[in-house]
Amino acid sequence: MLILTRRPGESLYLGDNIKLKILSVQGKQIKIGLDVPEDMTVYREEVYLKIKEQNKQALETSQQDLLAAAALWQEIESRK
């Protein structure tokens, strides 16, 4: 992990098109401004981790799910 020190009003760049600016520091809270491309999504860490977990759960299939899908498929095929 790269650790940098910045004061309010100072900025840093990540690559050519992402700018982070320290807006203010009040006690333990730091306000950061982000200039990022419009097509780039930015998440707070807790939101990002929740999305990642939900995506993982959505991809998990149980044998019960597969058996139910197979039964539905057979039912549809038998109607033809």
Side-chain angles (χ1 to χ4, degrees):
M1 177 184 291
L2 175 63
I3 299 173
L4 301 170
T5 302
R6 299 277 78 200
R7 290 190 169 103
E10 295 180 336
S11 301
L12 53 100
Y13 282 85
L14 303 174
D16 292 329
N17 56 358
I18 300 174
K19 179 181 176 182
L20 294 140
K21 184 173 184 176
I22 306 304
L23 301 176
S24 66
V25 178
Q26 295 176 354
K28 292 184 178 184
Q29 189 175 43
I30 301 168
K31 287 189 181 179
I32 300 172
L34 302 169
D35 285 327
V36 298
E38 285 185 28
D39 63 339
M40 181 176 281
T41 305
V42 178
Y43 297 108
R44 295 187 326 259
E45 181 180 26
E46 63 275 13
V47 172
Y48 174 75
L49 293 175
K50 187 171 185 175
I51 291 169
K52 215 169 136 179
E53 179 60 30
Q54 288 175 345
N55 287 343
K56 181 181 171 187
Q57 289 175 0
L59 289 174
E60 292 175 354
T61 57
S62 69
Q63 188 158 355
Q64 187 98 352
D65 294 334
L66 294 174
L67 291 173
L72 286 172
W73 182 261
Q74 286 178 343
E75 185 179 320
I76 291 169
E77 288 296 310
S78 68
R79 290 181 186 171
K80 289 183 179 180

